[in-house]
Amino acid sequence: MSKDINDLSEQIQTIVDEFQGEVGIIVREGTKNIFSKNEEKIFQSASIIKLFILEALIEKIENNVLLYNQRVLLKNEDKVAGFGALKLLDENINLTIKDLATLMITLSDNTATNMLIDLVGIEYIQEFIKRKGYLETRLERKMFDYISREKGLDNYTSARDSFRVLKNLSKDYIALDILKNQLCNSKIPLYFFRKIEVAHKTGDLTNIEHDVGTLFFKNTSIDLIILAEGQNKDAVLLNNYLGEAVYNFYKE
């Protein structure tokens, strides 16, 4: 008996309606839109901004300005708080740019992110975001830049821009492999962890819980973009329930 895609759409709508907060959501199978809500709504990006940094980095690598195997020394002054492992390590570790990109995505390492922002150039990334037509996305500060944040500067994105950057990165085999090796798996893939491949990136702040990814099934792939603002516990559950609903509908 074939499944009715409208059943999935209705289930997603029910889950979204029960969430007491703001959402930006896209669920697509190829070019077919299964569900969408507030695609253009602007949210604090949290670590989703790291996807745009990665795409700008890839452009510089493709233009032979930077190399994945180029080495960079970790200095104590590079280290910042929050997610990541580099802040815990001794300085003068010799890392490749690919190492930094991998840490930025798979562990959401803030130190690695800031080192890449310095290497690529914050003005270059800002110009890249505009040139690529990411209308709701802005990189205004580095990670844990309290001075800029006190001045009202922050980083922003939308479900629409997050979907586009995910699709662009999925065309690059190195970026896709990094995304598939994500180590932060408490949101979209929690209830089906390791049962299928998921290429994704999470982001969270106080009252912000995002996850942006592609679920790879035997005969298809589903893009699931979730930007959620509300109580953190409830927003995490929203991600869990939406991921579970999509998985249960498409699993073999």
Side-chain angles (χ1 to χ4, degrees), residues 186-188 190-191 235-245:
S186 63
K187 295 180 189 175
I188 284 176
L190 180 67
Y191 293 149
V236 169
L237 288 172
L238 173 74
N239 280 265
N240 297 158
Y241 295 156
L242 290 174
E244 182 183 38

Side-chain angles (χ1 to χ4, degrees), residues 95-155:
L95 300 152
T96 66
I97 285 179
K98 186 181 177 184
D99 290 336
L100 294 176
T102 300
L103 289 167
M104 176 176 71
I105 299 300
T106 62
L107 277 178
S108 209
D109 195 299
N110 290 321
T111 297
T113 303
N114 284 355
M115 292 173 72
L116 286 174
I117 290 174
D118 289 339
L119 284 164
V120 178
I122 192 166
E123 291 182 356
Y124 183 91
I125 299 168
Q126 291 166 338
E127 184 275 332
F128 174 86
I129 287 170
K130 290 181 181 179
R131 174 162 44 85
K132 295 290 285 189
Y134 295 125
L135 299 179
E136 293 88 42
T137 300
R138 300 200 304 276
L139 171 67
E140 296 180 344
R141 63 171 179 83
K142 294 166 74 174
M143 307 303 107
F144 278 80
D145 181 351
Y146 294 112
I147 295 174
S148 294
R149 196 165 187 179
E150 287 175 2
K151 293 178 180 178
L153 300 176
D154 213 332
N155 304 322

Side-chain angles (χ1 to χ4, degrees), residues 83 182-193 200 202-204 209-211 232-233 235-241:
F83 281 103
Q182 178 60 248
L183 296 172
C184 304
N185 293 298
S186 63
K187 295 180 189 175
I188 284 176
L190 180 67
Y191 293 149
F192 53 91
F193 184 52
H200 70 118
T202 61
D204 54 84
E209 296 288 353
H210 305 326
D211 204 350
N232 287 90
K233 179 181 178 181
V236 169
L237 288 172
L238 173 74
N239 280 265
N240 297 158
Y241 295 156

